[in-house]
Amino acid sequence: MSTRYLKRFFKPRSIAVFGASEREDSMGGIVLRNLLDSGYEGTLMAVNSKGYDRVNGVACYVGVAELPEMPDLAIICSPPDAVAGIVRKLGANMVKAALILTGGLSLHQSSHARALREEVREAAKPYGIRILGPDCMGMLVPGSKLNASYSHVNILKGKVAYVGQSGLLGTAMIDWANGQEIGFSHFLTLGDGVDVDLPSIIDYLARDPWTHAILLQMDRVIGDARSFVSAIRSASRNKLVLVLKSNIIQDAEHRLELAPGIADPDLVYDAALRRAGVVRVETADELFNALETLSRMKPMRGERLALVCNGMGPNALATDRLLRKGGQLARLTEETEQQLLELLPPEARIQNPVDLNADADPQRFAEVTRLLTKDPNVDAVLVIHAPTRLAASVDTAEEVIKIARKTPRNVLTCWMGRFSAIAARNACNSAGIATFLTPEEAVNAFMHMVDYHRNQQVMRQTPAPIQQQNTPNRRRVGELITAAKEVGRDYLHHSEVSELLNLYEIPTANTRYAEDIAGVVECARQMGGSVAVKALHSSNVYPFSYDDSAHQRWHDLALDLYSINEVRHATTKLAYRVGELYASDQMFGFAVQQMKRGFQSLQINVGITRDKVFGPLLVFGVGGYTVDVLADRNIMLPPLNLALAREMVKRSRVYRIIAENSYQVERDVDQLSELLLRLSDLLVDLPELSTLEINPLLLNKRGLLAVDYSASVAEPGRLAISPYPEHLTEQILLKRSGRPATLRAIRGEDEPAHLEFYNRLSPESIRLRYFYSRGVPTHDELANWTQIDYDREMAFIVSAPRLDGKGCETLGVARAVTDADNVRAEFSVVIRDDLQGEGLGVILMRKIIDYCRSRGTLELSGSTLTTNKGMQALARRLGFRISYNAEEEVVEMKMLLNEPAEDWQIYRLQQ
């Protein structure tokens, strides 16, 4: 993930096109003509070994050595065998950006093509030249008058960026968008991603001021999943991000192995995208409609939608789709309904959805739309029109457009039909009003915006305070896993899993273990009552062992055994059946438990699995030995906080069962959420834990109880989302008062204390920190400050118990935000006014310096007002270089933490 030299792709001052000729089928010739037609204002050069003087009026050269100057961007359309050599020559001449449009290097081609692809990668590596492609369609940037693609048409200028992996789907999107008069800020497809990958592009676009939203079309994640999730999480905090993810990969080489316990890999992508706060669309049609909405909608005020139509049939279609999608139908105020009653004929409907009646004319449409946009209970209006003689489509559209232009609320339109509706749609397109073919499409597009805001709200929920619990014996758990791996086992025995769960305060059923039938009988006699016996062997020690109908494959159970004779008889049958299938060293004896019937228990399946792309995952849903556990499989990427855990529970069928049958719904949800938190902690603490399944987990009026469980181990896994850096926590004493405090990374649970900390800052401290006087931060701002991505930024706080003994308070904070290339981090620090002189500034700044240096950041920098003499003195004391920036009228502070190793790093530091 790196944005170095990406500016040369999107804003090149000079371009050389390799392989350009005037043949009609020449890819290079097509690209060169597109560059000329787009009005590119930089220097253009053509390169062709055949020695043309000019190509399409552009000077042509034989090779790299003959070029009068080295281009910012090289576009390579030469034959596949020549590409690596061209890249090598470009790199040797300090060219830093190459766009490869040559076909035949795709992963879907022969092994020879893959070898060529790797040759291109190796040719670029020594010189640090960035490669976009191969097998992409190129890129179009209207703001730079740049059409460096083989697209058949250029694009209009807009505020939405499109990034895809399919070139042909990209050209189709361009054609559709031009027909709708919709523009883009950037348009590109990545192809096979030899170097420049999706996270790099997302990071670049997230900082682009002309890009307000990002549309992604992707088949799969290429490269590091953590970089991908980190990039889209960061982008989605400030810009709406929508993703079209195709479900099927035809190439057998990339058909990923399913994660244990998950039948549909698409569920994993859904979980990853939801966790990142983006919205997924299911079809190309939805993507087109989303683009329509993104390009033309105003900022969302809320999700309450009002519907108006000249008939109830279309209204019913829209209402049905809205409610099925979980949308909210606006409830009109009494004042609005009274105004509608006075305006509309008696047979019209004045409640939402509003029916104007078939005799409605354009003026009635417009006036009702105006009234609805004035209603405080309405956030958006969808106008649906079916053509009649009294209300011609285009006349009605012109009247509605006048109202839509005057209101801050969103007005969406749907002109049903074709013959007379086309002119109305064209009028809306020209006016920049979102318009759709059917009521259902309009509602779907509106709900994409709603889903985005809901996802962002979940991301920004303030987690509940962390409860102080008994600290798990992590050393003992580590010993269990180490012991298993030392003897060559990739699984834990049933008794070891029971101990592991108990160490993490997950209650397990009282279980006794026996080696033979006599031992089982003795266990049953001691336990008394009805018992269950399970034969343990080398197959059922692994989690998620299901048959074709998603039931557990290895039952090997005998249930409801009341008498000793029943125990002996059933265990003998189990022993015989297992002995027929397994050798003696594959049989691990028996587990004996008391039956747990009679408490109206709900059986749940919960656990941990590991995906090849996104790493460790948490799974949750309905459980039991005889049910289809995969039918209710809810997935979430760890680590979790309590808000995310509750969200996971509430999305499941389990929650609906609890809501309908439990008399303590909140208690049950809280218990399940806390269990998911413990499993999340377990994943963070034990990266070697590959899979774990608890099935069934019983939930009843007595609480939770894990009845059956299994676990496997493997090489350490890597979370797709960086976990809380607990290892950076340390205990300190304040310099003057000797007060004990904790120096640690910030977390989402700190939001209330952080708000209190801010409110205790003086107006002068706020001005010195933010360079202007500002009010109390909003919840969204506080969420951005406290719920950070530890891969991208770090904030250390000093927290101490309150002097009155009621909780903890924040005393100071230091923050460092690192760029995507880890070249430069920008710091800030602020200390509570009443704690000046306690040495907190030095403590926090040294922590930030050490942290950034340890992760390889090259330079730490910051700026402060000229009047902030205290900060300047602290910076000098710590070794920062101090300089005055006359243009910005600030004092700049810089410290070199690590020496740059490559030319591009030196260049970036000099900027």
Side-chain angles (χ1 to χ4, degrees):
M1 182 174 64
S2 172
T3 61
R4 71 180 191 276
Y5 299 130
L6 289 192
K7 185 177 179 180
R8 301 195 183 194
F9 286 98
F10 300 112
K11 299 178 180 179
R13 292 168 297 182
S14 57
I15 299 175
V17 181
F18 288 75
S21 75
E22 295 188 357
R23 295 195 332 267
E24 288 189 7
D25 62 346
S26 166
M27 175 75 75
I30 293 171
V31 173
L32 191 60
R33 287 194 293 273
N34 279 345
L35 285 167
L36 292 168
D37 292 345
S38 65
Y40 175 67
E41 297 175 346
T43 303
L44 267 180
M45 298 167 279
V47 181
N48 194 307
S49 60
K50 294 185 178 180
Y52 303 121
D53 288 333
R54 307 187 78 80
V55 175
N56 294 324
V58 175
C60 185
Y61 305 90
V62 174
V64 175
E66 287 72 32
L67 290 171
E69 62 178 284
M70 289 300 116
D72 272 359
L73 173 64
I75 302 176
I76 302 175
C77 306
S78 303
D81 290 333
V83 173
I86 294 173
V87 169
R88 197 172 289 111
K89 291 176 183 177
L90 290 169
N93 283 275
M94 303 300 291
V95 175
K96 295 302 181 183
L99 170 62
I100 301 178
L101 302 185
T102 300
L105 300 182
S106 168
L107 285 173
H108 303 288
Q109 303 295 323
S110 65
S111 59
H112 173 64
R114 286 194 291 273
L116 288 175
R117 177 179 176 277
E118 292 305 315
E119 188 180 350
V120 169
R121 189 196 302 273
E122 292 303 315
K125 189 174 181 179
Y127 305 105
I129 183 171
R130 304 304 309 272
I131 303 293
L132 179 59
D135 296 305
C136 62
M137 66 163 287
M139 58 189 174
L140 301 91
V141 186
S144 300
K145 296 184 178 180
L146 178 70
N147 180 0
S149 76
Y150 57 72
S151 172
H152 60 301
V153 292
N154 203 355
I155 60 174
L156 302 175
K157 190 174 182 179
K159 57 185 180 181
V160 178
Y162 176 95
V163 185
Q165 289 179 337
S166 167
L168 289 179
L169 189 57
T171 58
M173 172 65 82
I174 289 174
D175 196 80
W176 178 88
N178 277 350
Q180 295 292 103
E181 300 182 40
I182 291 174
F184 300 90
S185 64
H186 301 74
F187 196 106
L188 68 154
T189 64
L190 300 181
D192 207 25
V194 164
D195 171 39
V196 177
D197 56 8
L198 193 55
S200 304
I201 297 295
I202 293 171
D203 278 332
Y204 180 90
L205 295 174
R207 298 201 304 268
D208 180 64
W210 306 110
T211 298
H212 296 178
I214 302 172
L215 289 184
L216 304 179
Q217 178 275 317
M218 55 184 293
D219 303 318
R220 64 188 188 278
V221 173
I222 300 175
D224 180 47
R226 180 180 281 192
S227 297
F228 169 74
V229 174
S230 177
I232 59 175
R233 281 184 77 202
S234 176
S236 70
R237 283 187 176 272
N238 302 302
K239 302 183 180 186
L240 195 151
V241 181
L242 276 84
V243 178
L244 172 64
K245 164 67 175 62
S246 58
N247 300 336
I248 300 174
I249 297 176
Q250 298 294 343
D251 184 3
E253 182 177 341
H254 290 96
R255 191 173 294 115
L256 294 173
E257 178 184 340
L258 294 175
I262 297 176
D264 183 2
D266 211 42
L267 294 175
V268 180
Y269 275 90
D270 269 342
L273 296 175
R274 190 184 308 111
R275 186 77 160 84
V278 306
V279 176
R280 178 177 179 177
V281 295
E282 300 294 335
T283 65
D285 279 344
E286 286 190 14
L287 189 65
F288 291 154
N289 290 332
L291 177 58
E292 174 92 22
T293 314
L294 287 176
S295 301
R296 290 170 173 160
M297 282 190 74
K298 301 164 186 174
M300 288 280 290
R301 298 171 60 93
E303 55 185 73
R304 298 168 299 179
L305 182 65
L307 305 172
V308 56
C309 181
N310 54 346
M312 277 308 295
N315 265 342
L317 294 175
T319 302
D320 181 65
R321 181 58 60 93
L322 182 70
L323 298 180
R324 285 176 181 271
K325 288 279 187 178
Q328 185 176 350
L329 202 61
R331 180 181 292 275
L332 304 182
T333 63
E334 292 183 4
E335 180 182 355
T336 300
E337 290 185 351
Q338 182 60 40
Q339 291 174 322
L340 291 173
L341 184 63
E342 296 171 0
L343 175 67
L344 299 178
E347 62 271 21
R349 174 186 167 89
I350 62 171
Q351 290 82 27
N352 188 25
V354 180
D355 176 11
L356 302 182
N357 207 25
D359 63 352
D361 57 16
Q363 288 69 34
R364 187 185 298 174
F365 262 97
E367 183 59 20
V368 170
T369 302
R370 186 189 68 80
L371 290 176
L372 293 177
T373 59
K374 298 291 185 181
D375 192 309
N377 291 348
V378 174
D379 298 311
V381 179
L382 170 57
V383 178
I384 307 171
H385 174 269
T388 67
R389 280 190 176 274
L390 290 173
S393 297
V394 68
D395 295 337
T396 306
E398 290 173 354
E399 294 300 320
V400 170
I401 287 170
K402 294 176 184 177
I403 301 301
R405 282 174 166 168
K406 296 177 182 178
T407 177
R409 288 174 171 80
N410 281 297
V411 176
L412 295 79
T413 63
C414 169
W415 309 99
M416 301 185 70
R418 180 172 177 80
F419 178 74
S420 62
I422 291 177
R425 294 182 197 130
N426 290 339
C428 286
N429 288 336
S430 298
I433 307 297
T435 186
F436 304 91
L437 296 176
T438 67
E440 295 92 337
E441 285 185 357
V443 170
N444 286 344
F446 175 74
M447 287 306 298
H448 290 146
M449 308 300 105
V450 172
D451 289 342
Y452 168 74
H453 283 272
R454 289 178 180 176
N455 287 348
Q456 291 298 309
Q457 287 174 358
V458 171
M459 286 181 63
R460 288 179 164 87
Q461 284 182 22
T462 305
I466 294 177
Q467 300 296 320
Q468 296 299 323
Q469 302 172 349
N470 295 328
T471 303
N473 190 338
R474 297 177 183 176
R475 181 177 299 175
R476 174 56 188 154
V477 173
E479 290 173 355
L480 289 173
I481 292 178
T482 301
K485 296 178 73 173
E486 284 179 350
V487 297
R489 279 195 282 125
D490 62 350
Y491 60 87
L492 298 181
H493 287 304
H494 197 275
S495 59
E496 294 172 328
V497 182
S498 177
E499 184 177 357
L500 182 150
L501 294 176
N502 285 323
L503 288 169
Y504 275 79
E505 299 182 359
I506 298 173
T508 60
N510 179 26
T511 306
R512 300 192 182 188
Y513 299 94
E515 295 293 329
D516 51 25
I517 298 171
V520 171
V521 170
E522 181 58 28
C523 289
R525 182 177 288 112
Q526 293 178 10
M527 299 177 83
S530 175
V531 299
V533 180
K534 178 179 181 179
L536 305 173
H537 50 74
S538 58
S539 292
N540 64 13
V541 293
Y542 292 100
F544 309 111
S545 295
Y546 304 140
D547 59 21
D548 292 338
S549 59
H551 300 159
Q552 280 208 270
R553 180 180 298 136
W554 307 107
H555 289 179
D556 299 326
L557 292 171
L559 304 175
D560 297 305
L561 306 178
Y562 288 91
S563 68
I564 295 301
N565 286 336
E566 285 181 318
V567 172
R568 183 180 290 107
H569 178 70
T571 307
T572 301
K573 288 177 64 177
L574 277 177
Y576 178 79
R577 185 165 70 239
V578 173
E580 288 286 305
L581 297 173
Y582 301 97
S584 58
D585 62 345
Q586 294 177 310
M587 296 185 291
F588 309 133
F590 302 89
V592 186
Q593 295 179 345
Q594 285 184 320
M595 289 297 300
K596 299 295 179 182
R597 299 196 189 278
F599 298 104
Q600 296 181 325
S601 299
L602 172 61
Q603 297 188 66
I604 297 168
N605 182 295
V606 62
I608 293 166
T609 188
R610 187 181 293 185
D611 182 69
K612 291 291 185 181
V613 175
F614 292 102
L617 306 169
L618 291 168
V619 297
F620 179 85
V622 171
Y625 293 116
T626 60
V627 301
D628 181 357
V629 293
L630 298 183
D632 182 36
R633 183 62 89 206
N634 295 277
I635 303 169
M636 188 167 283
L637 274 62
L640 302 187
N641 57 36
L642 191 57
L644 291 170
R646 290 179 65 87
E647 178 74 13
M648 187 177 187
V649 172
K650 289 187 173 183
R651 282 203 317 270
S652 70
R653 189 186 303 169
V654 170
Y655 177 73
R656 294 194 292 273
I657 297 173
I658 292 173
E660 292 172 2
N661 297 279
S662 176
Y663 65 94
Q664 292 181 306
V665 175
E666 284 304 310
R667 186 212 67 165
D668 293 343
V669 171
D670 288 343
Q671 288 185 338
L672 290 170
S673 301
E674 289 169 7
L675 179 137
L676 288 171
L677 280 180
R678 293 190 181 107
L679 290 180
S680 176
D681 292 341
L682 204 161
L683 266 176
V684 174
D685 295 341
L686 302 172
E688 298 94 343
L689 189 64
S690 177
T691 58
L692 181 146
E693 182 181 23
I694 305 174
N695 183 34
L697 172 76
L698 301 184
L699 171 66
N700 54 42
K701 60 185 179 182
R702 293 188 173 186
L704 297 176
L705 187 68
V707 174
D708 201 3
Y709 27 78
S710 53
S712 67
V713 297
E715 292 301 312
R718 186 169 186 258
L719 300 181
I721 298 175
S722 184
Y724 182 76
E726 185 69 45
H727 64 283
L728 296 175
T729 300
E730 57 182 286
Q731 303 303 315
I732 63 170
L733 296 175
L734 302 195
K735 177 181 176 181
R736 186 177 59 194
S737 64
R739 182 182 178 185
T742 302
L743 174 60
R744 61 171 175 84
I746 202 168
R747 55 189 171 217
E749 291 83 357
D750 292 317
E751 181 180 327
H754 209 68
L755 176 60
E756 181 185 355
F757 165 76
Y758 181 92
N759 288 333
R760 295 187 67 173
L761 295 176
S762 67
E764 178 64 9
S765 291
I766 293 174
R767 188 185 70 83
L768 293 176
R769 164 63 182 87
Y770 296 100
F771 292 16
Y772 65 96
S773 298
R774 54 159 298 160
V776 177
T778 65
H779 164 66
D780 284 352
E781 288 177 309
L782 289 166
N784 285 337
W785 294 347
T786 57
Q787 299 178 38
I788 64 175
D789 183 344
Y790 300 109
D791 280 332
R792 292 173 170 267
E793 62 179 303
M794 179 55 70
F796 290 109
I797 64 170
V798 174
S799 177
R802 298 179 189 276
L803 298 179
D804 60 8
K806 297 179 181 179
C808 292
E809 59 182 347
T810 298
L811 311 183
V813 59
R815 189 179 302 270
V817 180
T818 310
D819 62 36
D821 301 312
N822 200 27
V823 170
R824 185 178 284 115
E826 185 175 355
F827 76 86
S828 60
V829 60
V830 60
I831 310 299
R832 226 170 62 190
D833 293 72
D834 59 321
L835 295 170
Q836 301 292 333
E838 291 279 15
L840 289 175
V842 173
I843 291 172
L844 285 165
M845 283 303 301
R846 283 178 176 165
K847 187 73 171 179
I848 281 288
I849 291 169
D850 292 344
Y851 171 77
C852 291
R853 181 179 284 122
S854 69
R855 69 189 306 266
T857 306
L858 301 184
E859 183 181 80
L860 184 63
S861 64
S863 57
T864 188
L865 295 174
T866 55
T867 55
N868 194 347
K869 302 300 182 182
M871 184 67 242
Q872 296 169 39
L874 174 61
R876 287 192 181 91
R877 178 181 173 186
L878 294 171
F880 282 85
R881 302 189 314 275
I882 307 296
S883 61
Y884 177 66
N885 185 326
E887 182 178 350
E888 299 292 335
E889 296 183 349
V890 296
V891 173
E892 294 183 341
M893 303 161 285
K894 296 182 180 181
M895 175 185 289
L896 187 66
L897 303 178
N898 293 285
E899 291 293 334
E902 300 183 37
D903 290 342
W904 69 268
Q905 294 175 327
I906 297 173
Y907 174 75
R908 284 282 292 275
L909 287 175
Q910 291 172 346
Q911 290 182 315

